[in-house]
Amino acid sequence: MSAGGISTHAVDVAHGRPGTGMRVEIHRIMPDGERLVLADGVLGADGALDHPVKTGEGVEAGVHEVLFHLGAFFAATAERLPPPFLEVVPFRFRVFDASLHYHLPIKFTPWGFSLYRGA
């Protein structure tokens, strides 16, 4: 993978599957609080977002946020009863150097999640 950019990877660890079809948004948060949408799409078969933001398009130093739409993901699957506990999981972070790559995996279940900066 080239230097720079933001990538995501989602895995439903309760059911042993990638987050295929989950909606993910990536925003840059401007100093005045305005949100600039860098990416808005669904995860592919491998649980990753295939979008130009992963190679650096639109990524600058500053605050960014990824929104993982877990509620809709689980509502669209057979595990929808009871209703999903989690709705949208935000991951707000700072890009210190836009030439570096920021890989942001999420491991999740219907009841919890773990977010971190990966390699």
Side-chain angles (χ1 to χ4, degrees), residues 70-118:
L70 270 64
F73 172 79
F74 281 116
T77 66
E79 298 84 13
R80 66 175 168 230
L81 296 176
F85 172 67
L86 298 169
E87 284 297 319
V88 177
V89 173
F91 188 177
R92 190 169 286 199
F93 62 99
R94 182 172 300 279
V95 169
F96 290 101
D97 182 347
S99 70
L100 300 176
H101 191 83
Y102 294 80
H103 182 60
L104 308 173
I106 181 172
K107 310 281 189 210
F108 63 94
T109 73
W111 313 278
F113 59 91
S114 175
L115 294 165
Y116 55 96
R117 181 175 178 195

Side-chain angles (χ1 to χ4, degrees), residues 20-60:
T20 304
M22 180 189 301
R23 180 178 176 211
V24 173
E25 299 173 66
I26 302 175
H27 300 255
R28 184 161 14 114
I29 310 299
M30 307 306 284
D32 65 0
E34 181 183 353
R35 303 171 72 86
L36 177 64
V37 177
L38 301 182
D40 187 346
V42 297
L43 302 180
D46 61 353
L49 183 64
D50 186 20
H51 189 279
V53 73
K54 74 180 182 182
T55 58
E57 184 176 296
V59 179
E60 297 179 9

